[in-house]
Amino acid sequence: MKDARLPWLRPVVALVISAFFLVPLYMILVNVFKRGEKITQSPASLPAPPTLDNITGLLTRTDDLFWASLTNSVVVTTLSIILLTILSAMLGHYLARTRGRWARVATLLLLSGLMIPPQVILMPVTQVLRAFGLMTTVQGLVLFNVGYYIPFGVFVFSGFLRGIPIELEEAAAIDGASRSRVFWRVVFPLLRPATASVLIFLGVWIWNDFIDPLVILGPSQGTTITTGIYRSIGQYQADFGTVFALMFLATLPVLIFYLFLQKHFVKGLTGGATKG
């Protein structure tokens, strides 16, 4: 017999869980339009009257904190997800279509990388980057992102590829297409949902990453959008108006990016769930 209180319990649990996500968003939205002194006095109150001083002050800073951080984040994230998508799709296709024992071992080794937090391998990675002269460079940070996140891309693409009939590739090969032409002209266009999922997940992860760019780029060589928030907070004082304005503007590119690709998002994640 079902508990009569159960229908009331589920909405309450859903409301509590939603509050964990909505409260931080509410705090950003109301405080970005307040003056600094009102933020510290009543952080949860509505802005009355609202002001754009925080946003305009951030955009016109003499040190170009926002624009420098935004440029670095866009460059690092764009280069990283492009390389990750191309390499993950090619490797995922090869492993999905190869039936040998070593291919399964390679797949397991790649997937084991998903269980290792990036902070665990960060110090050895910095030593490798320093040995190749890539420490404190954007290229070094992009290389680190590609090396660490490629197992996730391979996992998504290989799972999705198991739902694509291999007969399509065989028919193209019979018509005289090379292996590379088969992949780029036949297979890759069918991977659009999986590509959207990889782009969204990895784009958000790399955009929001804090500790890796802080260590690899270094505080004096460059800053990303997340380390820019860290730099805007001093040891003895903090301009909370600038902090909230930076957090607000930092979410807009990722939000627009997600809305642009979200129609393919769920399909890409579930494409390989029941195949293979």
Side-chain angles (χ1 to χ4, degrees), residues 72-175:
N72 284 336
S73 285
V74 169
V75 170
V76 170
T77 304
T78 302
L79 291 177
S80 297
I81 62 177
I82 289 176
L83 290 174
L84 279 165
T85 300
I86 294 174
L87 295 176
S88 299
M90 296 173 66
L91 184 56
H93 174 258
Y94 181 76
L95 293 177
R97 298 306 191 213
T98 303
R99 300 301 179 187
R101 179 180 300 177
W102 76 270
R104 292 194 294 270
V105 173
T107 302
L108 291 175
L109 288 176
L110 278 172
L111 295 181
S112 65
L114 295 174
M115 298 182 292
I116 303 175
Q119 295 78 12
V120 173
I121 61 173
L122 185 56
M123 295 311 297
V125 166
T126 57
Q127 295 177 3
V128 174
L129 293 177
R130 188 174 291 109
F132 285 93
L134 294 174
M135 196 63 181
T136 69
T137 64
V138 170
Q139 299 93 317
L141 181 56
V142 171
L143 184 62
F144 170 81
N145 290 332
V146 171
Y148 180 76
Y149 290 110
I150 199 170
F152 176 81
V154 172
F155 173 73
V156 174
F157 279 117
S158 61
F160 191 85
L161 277 161
R162 294 188 180 94
I164 298 177
I166 196 174
E167 288 78 12
L168 296 175
E169 302 173 43
E170 294 173 346
I174 291 174
D175 290 338

